[in-house]
Amino acid sequence: MTVFCIGLSHHTANVATREQFAGSATAESIVREAGCPEALLLTTCNRVEVYGVSHKRISTDEIARCLTKTPIRDPHYYAPPFYRYEAEKCVQHLFRVASGLDSMVVGESEILGQAKKAYELARKSGAAGQYLHRLFQRAFRVAKQVRTHTDIARGAVSVGSVAVDLAQRIFGRLSDCKVLVLGAGEMSERTARALISRGVTDLRVTNRSMDRACELARAVGGRAIPFETWETQCREIDIFITSTTSETPLLTTEKLAPLLRDRLDHPLFIIDIAVPRDVDPSVNEMEGVYLYDIDSIRSVAEQSLELRRQQVVAAEAIIAEHVTDFVDSLSRGLNDAARKTEHPLPGENSLRASEL
Amino acid sequence: MDRYLLIVSTVCFLAAVVHTAIELRAGVFRPLRFNFFAVGLGFIFQTAFLSLRGHELERCPLTNLFEVFIFLAWSVAAIYMLVGPGYRLSLMGAFTAPLVVVLQVFALIAPIDIRHPVKLPANPWLEFHASISLLAYGAFALACIAGVMYLVQERQLKTHQLHSIFYHLPPLSDLFAAITRLLWWGFALYTLGIVSGFFTGHPLPRPQVVAAIGIWLLYAAILQGRHLRWFAPKRVAALCIIGFSAALTLLWGITFTAEMHPIP
């Protein structure tokens, strides 16, 4: 028996191609139609992959046919976007996928949850047996180790998460932070939601249109305040998110200095996502004020991505170690089982080490 | 024999420094428990050294500059062991270890372990004064280290250039809270040290007393400025570094003059 992975991902196929193969098949249907004893289907927005165990070779076209919504007769139609990994290569690929190394955003953790969900579905339906169980349990362990022992998942890579990450670096716990959102745009909403999800409870929203402010406040669980009061709010808030359409800076050093006079030991984190900017860049020079505009937030996201990329080598080393160990332990397990039953290693029902 | 203990202790602290340097160079800095254990092991050997030396001298081992440096390094490690895990400042070990290594390597290399020709009699007040003052120095040293960490992080946040180490530093607010507490601890111990100095039963050299009170006033001013919010956190962090540098210079002066004119 050998373990294999056949699939397509953002590396090999565009979204139009991927969606042709996503959503119609299940692990059970693959076991039934392809005739392999065990199968697992991992479908995410970036990949459609089938992990299987079989003693006979199952062709890529056969799996592709099981996945497609609209079968096509040409036997070579499916080949180009699909990749195929077998034995050791397959184990390595799964460990890389689970650890987020194969993801579009390197190190993202969503894939691990998706892999766990796919495994649960396959296990419950009976499509995943002992081989896939061992393989996936090890993959989850590897992913955890990679995250713990490298910085692969460090740093935020989207505007909202960068803002939240930086706020946590400044204030620690966000539950005591007071947040003011000026301007009810989509980006402010997303950032506000990200902050709420990390424990912020005091969120104030203001906008030139009070109706729009009320609407956003209701949507994110904050409270609307009159637009005229936003400047005085700066005396007590900790985080200020602004994204108005003002042509001139709303906040300058001259305006802010008197407001901050009584809160010298209290930092102010300003997220200016407006273009043109709402806050004069010189505000960043003020003591205790940390100003991030859209470019600096993107730059932080880029730095995080670069940091993650630097961790790939360390992560690959951990994975390589596990691949070797997994293959060895599997081979030892099979030999022990063969000795116990005092029968020669059954060619049809065991996963031969040489094949792995 | 006791010097070997000190060498082993220095190697432990050096291991923490090298570990940090390698990880920082590779861009994969993770404080984890290594630094804490390395510092902890180093601390055990330091304690063993001081204990042996104390038994040999039959008094607190603070009779020459060498012992003062080791006691100071021990105080820094002790305060870190107390404060580091409590405030989840595991990274502080990475900053503490180099200071301890510098102090111990200097003490081991420099010809400053000069034994007194006659055994100095025990003076409980003098020993209490010296040891409490050095513990205060330990707290001030840690406040200085936390100040460096604060400034490093503050600078990265201001310039928008975040390095690997940034993600392992405690939040600015937590660091500032730790600085404030360490300053209060240090200040209380230092006050106790100064007051106990007047009970040693010997006239204290005037320049030493003036300098010690000067340092006390400096830290009092930092704490008062912090309490009344005259100083921004960044300034307090910088003042912690200046304060400790001044205190260290004074310590050198006191020990040097004490060796020239020993108090029996």
Side-chain angles (χ1 to χ4, degrees):
Chain A
M1 266 203 201
T2 191
V3 62
F4 65 87
C5 165
I6 295 168
L8 69 171
S9 71
H10 59 102
H11 293 301
T12 59
N14 60 21
V15 66
T17 312
R18 294 201 301 273
E19 66 193 10
Q20 284 180 43
F21 298 95
S24 64
T26 62
E28 267 178 298
S29 68
I30 292 164
V31 167
R32 208 171 41 244
E33 289 168 30
C36 53
E38 291 186 33
L40 183 149
L41 178 63
L42 175 62
T43 311
T44 73
C45 53
N46 284 326
R47 69 183 66 245
V48 181
E49 286 180 341
V50 173
Y51 290 86
V53 177
S54 176
H55 41 78
K56 62 168 190 182
R57 185 182 160 86
I58 294 172
S59 74
T60 304
D61 284 341
E62 211 170 328
I63 292 292
R65 233 173 270 123
C66 295
L67 291 173
T68 190
K69 293 169 183 168
T70 49
I72 294 165
R73 287 184 179 181
D74 179 0
H76 304 297
Y77 174 81
Y78 303 112
F82 278 88
Y83 45 79
R84 180 186 185 101
Y85 298 107
E86 285 185 22
E88 199 171 324
K89 289 276 178 204
C90 169
V91 174
Q92 187 194 29
H93 176 71
L94 174 63
F95 290 0
R96 291 187 83 253
V97 168
S99 306
L101 263 62
D102 200 56
S103 299
M104 191 178 266
V105 177
V106 175
E108 57 95 8
S109 55
E110 212 180 334
I111 185 68
L112 183 58
Q114 290 164 329
K116 282 182 177 172
K117 205 172 159 189
Y119 167 73
E120 267 311 304
L121 277 174
R123 191 185 62 83
K124 279 183 183 159
S125 68
Q130 57 165 324
Y131 297 123
L132 287 182
H133 168 76
R134 286 179 73 173
L135 179 64
F136 274 77
Q137 289 306 319
R138 178 59 80 96
F140 302 149
R141 245 176 71 200
V142 173
K144 195 177 169 196
Q145 196 178 333
V146 164
R147 273 165 223 286
T148 315
H149 293 275
T150 70
D151 277 341
I152 197 86
R154 285 273 168 187
V157 290
S158 69
V159 173
S161 54
V162 166
V164 171
D165 214 23
L166 290 171
Q168 284 182 319
R169 305 313 311 165
I170 298 168
F171 302 104
R173 281 188 317 143
L174 296 184
S175 52
D176 301 328
C177 288
K178 298 180 181 77
V179 181
L180 174 65
V181 178
L182 175 62
E186 194 193 328
M187 288 283 261
S188 335
E189 183 177 338
R190 252 189 260 169
T191 314
R193 279 186 194 282
L195 286 166
I196 292 269
S197 73
R198 298 282 184 99
V200 167
T201 50
D202 187 343
L203 190 125
R204 305 153 194 201
V205 184
T206 186
N207 196 53
R208 281 186 205 281
S209 149
M210 191 59 181
D211 290 345
R212 183 72 191 99
C214 289
E215 197 183 315
L216 177 59
R218 250 196 318 275
V220 297
R223 65 186 161 97
I225 56 161
F227 185 74
E228 302 72 42
T229 63
W230 77 264
E231 274 183 47
T232 49
Q233 294 281 330
C234 289
R235 283 184 203 278
E236 53 179 83
I237 54 158
D238 304 292
I239 302 170
F240 180 43
I241 305 164
T242 173
S243 67
T244 73
T245 50
S246 170
E247 288 297 320
T248 52
L250 296 171
L251 200 59
T252 58
T253 312
E254 292 71 32
K255 272 188 188 172
L256 198 56
L259 299 169
L260 299 186
R261 201 162 287 145
D262 299 330
R263 45 169 295 171
L264 202 56
D265 62 342
H266 211 65
L268 175 64
F269 177 37
I270 303 175
I271 306 154
D272 180 4
I273 35 189
V275 179
R277 288 175 290 184
D278 285 342
V279 185
D280 190 285
S282 63
V283 163
N284 193 43
E285 305 302 319
M286 295 175 75
E287 196 94 66
V289 179
Y290 305 97
L291 168 65
Y292 280 74
D293 60 27
I294 194 71
D295 275 2
S296 44
I297 286 180
R298 279 195 188 127
S299 145
V300 169
E302 263 307 307
Q303 288 170 48
S304 300
L305 266 179
E306 188 48 43
L307 182 69
R308 288 183 179 197
R309 281 185 210 115
Q310 285 170 11
Q311 306 300 305
V312 169
V313 178
E316 295 279 17
I318 293 172
I319 288 172
E321 215 173 284
H322 274 278
V323 170
T324 312
D325 182 62
F326 182 75
V327 171
D328 287 351
S329 70
L330 205 60
S331 127
R332 273 198 308 275
L334 293 172
N335 288 339
D336 288 350
R339 264 199 305 275
K340 272 182 193 166
T341 53
E342 292 182 357
H343 286 297
L345 199 65
E348 293 296 301
N349 292 321
S350 59
L351 191 60
R352 284 209 314 271
S354 60
E355 284 180 320
L356 267 175
Chain B
M1 164 62 188
D2 57 356
R3 283 179 81 91
Y4 288 118
L5 287 171
L6 206 55
I7 291 167
V8 176
S9 157
T10 311
V11 169
C12 292
F13 287 106
L14 194 62
V17 176
V18 172
H19 176 256
T20 307
I22 290 170
E23 295 223 316
L24 281 178
R25 205 179 154 84
V28 289
F29 182 74
R30 306 193 68 76
L32 294 176
R33 292 178 189 147
F34 186 88
N35 284 334
F36 187 73
F37 283 122
V39 172
L41 205 60
F43 175 74
I44 291 169
F45 284 107
Q46 276 178 330
T47 311
F49 163 80
L50 288 171
S51 169
L52 275 183
R53 189 55 80 98
H55 274 99
E56 192 187 317
L57 296 170
E58 292 173 358
R59 55 173 286 159
C60 186
L62 288 167
T63 60
N64 60 27
L65 195 56
F66 170 77
E67 289 163 8
V68 166
F69 267 79
I70 303 306
F71 200 93
L72 177 61
W74 178 84
S75 302
V76 171
I79 302 272
Y80 164 70
M81 304 287 288
L82 280 172
V83 171
Y87 296 120
R88 300 180 69 194
L89 301 177
S90 53
L91 184 72
M92 201 181 247
F95 285 78
T96 305
L99 177 65
V100 175
V101 168
V102 167
L103 287 170
Q104 294 195 170
V105 166
F106 176 77
L108 282 165
I109 292 172
I112 51 174
D113 191 11
I114 302 155
R115 306 290 181 102
H116 283 268
V118 286
K119 201 170 223 176
L120 294 171
N123 180 336
W125 276 109
L126 186 62
E127 289 165 42
F128 178 78
H129 157 74
S131 53
I132 284 291
S133 302
L134 281 177
L135 273 172
Y137 272 80
F140 290 149
L142 262 283
C144 165
I145 288 167
V148 172
M149 288 161 77
Y150 186 97
L151 294 177
V152 166
Q153 182 159 217
E154 215 266 351
R155 173 98 190 128
Q156 294 198 9
L157 275 165
K158 275 280 187 196
T159 56
H160 309 152
Q161 297 294 319
L162 313 181
H163 302 289
S164 172
I165 197 170
F166 176 83
Y167 296 102
H168 301 286
L169 286 163
L172 280 185
S173 303
D174 291 4
L175 263 179
F176 190 56
I179 289 174
T180 308
R181 281 172 192 168
L182 283 164
L183 281 175
W184 276 115
W185 273 40
F187 186 71
L189 289 167
Y190 197 63
T191 307
L192 205 61
I194 287 183
V195 171
S196 60
F198 292 104
F199 293 93
T200 54
H202 301 282
L204 297 168
R206 199 182 177 83
Q208 279 184 19
V209 176
V210 171
I213 291 174
I215 297 291
W216 185 87
L217 285 173
L218 174 65
Y219 276 104
I222 298 173
L223 282 166
Q224 182 71 356
R226 150 89 193 100
H227 185 66
L228 297 176
R229 297 175 183 184
W230 293 339
F231 304 140
K234 186 181 167 186
R235 204 147 295 177
V236 173
L239 281 169
C240 283
I241 300 168
I242 295 168
F244 183 64
S245 309
L248 212 56
T249 313
L250 172 70
L251 179 71
W252 179 286
I254 287 175
T255 319
F256 188 74
T257 48
E259 282 193 352
M260 295 294 106
H261 315 283
I263 295 170

